[in-house]
Amino acid sequence: MKIEKLDHVGIAVEKLDSALPIWEGVLGMVLAGTEEVVEQKVRTAFLPLGGSEIELLEPTDPESPIAKFIAAKGQGVQHLAFRVADLDAALAELKAKGVRLIDEAPRRGAGGARIAFLHPKSTGGVLIELCERG
Ligand code: ZN
């Protein structure tokens, strides 16, 4: 498996409207767009940064994984996303290595990407997303 780049950093926020003034107003980043990902019960906002992105994640439902993350740990960095060329091959390779996967098969993420999460228990406590963009 070859990781091509840091695709984005996912940050859990209670409200995009409260978070964006920090990222845009204080840090001077530019909002590229927002998108609701119904399957994951989140609304996302993307702020590109040097070939990667900051991805803000606002829960749209109390059962959203992001809502549960905020309830347990508060707002903040939630996951790192690495870009791979072939997500199916990467998952097969990691599975063969005994890495615990949250997603055994790819699912749809924001921006039409195919994504899968690795279990933090297998990665030293870091929630890692692999993503493949067409
Ligand atoms: Zn992500």
Side-chain angles (χ1 to χ4, degrees):
M1 179 177 83
K2 185 177 178 300
I3 292 172
E4 298 182 333
K5 63 187 277 193
L6 176 66
D7 189 86
H8 62 270
V9 178
I11 297 173
V13 303
E14 284 167 0
K15 289 277 164 210
L16 293 181
D17 289 347
S18 312
L20 282 170
I22 300 166
W23 296 90
E24 291 182 296
V26 177
L27 298 172
M29 293 174 67
V30 178
L31 176 66
T34 61
E35 179 184 346
E36 182 164 346
V37 183
V38 176
E39 298 93 322
Q40 295 187 50
K41 302 184 176 74
V42 291
R43 222 155 57 89
T44 62
F46 294 99
L47 302 109
L49 178 70
S52 295
E53 289 181 324
I54 296 295
E55 177 189 72
L56 303 178
L57 302 148
E58 174 195 277
T60 56
D61 185 285
E63 289 305 306
S64 163
I66 295 299
K68 291 176 181 170
F69 176 90
I70 292 172
K73 300 186 177 174
Q75 300 187 101
V77 174
Q78 199 255 350
H79 68 271
L80 299 182
F82 297 125
R83 176 96 57 97
V84 295
D86 185 340
L87 181 55
D88 298 291
L91 290 176
E93 183 183 326
L94 291 169
K95 210 170 167 182
K97 286 178 176 168
V99 173
R100 215 167 129 191
L101 306 175
I102 291 175
D103 300 304
E104 298 272 330
R107 55 181 154 124
R108 199 192 80 82
R114 299 172 75 228
I115 66 167
F117 284 93
L118 315 185
H119 201 289
K121 286 224 162 82
S122 280
T123 56
V126 181
L127 179 59
I128 293 176
E129 171 189 334
L130 298 180
C131 79
E132 175 193 315
R133 297 186 187 274

